[in-house]
Amino acid sequence: MKKIFVFIAVAFSLISCFGDGGSFSESYPFRISFDFSDNVYLSSFSKDSLFVMKEGEGFTYGGYPLFFSQKHVSGDFKGGFLMSYCEGEADGKLDNEENANDRYRVHAAKGHDGSKSYAVFYDNPDASQMPKHDIEFGYKDVGTCTMYGCYVNNTTLVARMVREHFTEEDRLTLKAIGHKHDGSKVETSIELAKKDTVMYNWSAFDLSKLGSVDYIDFEVHSTNPSVPGYFCMDGLEGH
């Protein structure tokens, strides 16, 4: 597996900003696809690449000051977000043999809207191996960010483990937790899988309930410990 370490510089313009009192300052809609131009893929990427920060603690994408956090120990990725260029499978299909990249490979043909890259999140059950917050708004000292939603999917490894180990009572659930400037929290969730219904289409995850936030954390809850806490994200939208 080839790892490419990239950091995409932040352009501090296209984002919303709300003061602590809730006053409106400036707002621009954004949509983060984690995708790149064909020229970038040809010159910088290789098939089944994973994008992590070797020295830092995460990455930004495009011109948006949203920081996608990750945790490393001795240079090894332990938890949080990374970007994946691992080619998926046909929707709902599974190879007969496991692939070394299955934990970072979407359980679909491609990213949402046919994108080549997407984000993958791992919720390490050891909290010490996770970043403090999973998505951080770069202007949190002066304002907050409002999310509309994103698209989520399972990884191929999760789909395989669900089909092998889930019983009728088991469930895999993704929870998003918005942290506000006043210290309060708001949560929302979506079901990723049960025994005979494993998400393999990119599905909309409504994050509007979170409102204006400084940070967002994600938790993947499985009632069966054999199914690990991975999920894929694409098309993150907000203002």
Side-chain angles (χ1 to χ4, degrees), residues 154-208:
N154 287 302
T155 69
T156 302
L157 174 66
V158 166
R160 191 185 304 281
M161 293 297 100
V162 165
R163 293 173 183 179
E164 291 180 2
H165 298 286
F166 261 23
T167 66
E168 294 295 338
E169 294 77 25
D170 285 321
R171 296 290 185 273
L172 182 68
T173 305
L174 170 62
K175 179 189 293 185
I177 306 165
H179 298 258
K180 301 178 180 297
H181 62 271
D182 61 3
S184 62
K185 301 177 184 179
V186 178
E187 301 178 357
T188 189
S189 62
I190 186 173
E191 186 176 88
L192 295 176
K194 51 188 178 182
K195 181 173 176 59
D196 296 320
T197 309
V198 181
M199 183 186 294
Y200 64 85
N201 291 313
W202 285 96
S203 300
F205 186 16
D206 184 3
L207 299 176
S208 61

Side-chain angles (χ1 to χ4, degrees), residues 30-87:
F30 66 84
R31 185 177 189 278
I32 297 177
S33 67
F34 304 102
D35 214 0
F36 298 89
S37 69
D38 288 341
N39 287 338
V40 174
Y41 283 115
L42 292 172
S43 63
S44 304
F45 294 19
S46 63
K47 185 178 179 182
D48 288 344
S49 294
L50 302 175
F51 304 89
V52 300
M53 279 298 295
K54 184 176 183 180
E55 303 298 336
E57 293 298 328
F59 60 89
T60 61
Y61 175 84
Y64 308 110
L66 292 178
F67 189 72
F68 297 84
S69 303
Q70 54 193 214
K71 177 79 171 184
H72 296 92
V73 176
S74 300
D76 294 328
F77 172 77
K78 295 297 182 181
F81 279 103
L82 53 74
M83 280 192 289
S84 175
Y85 185 38
C86 293
E87 185 176 353

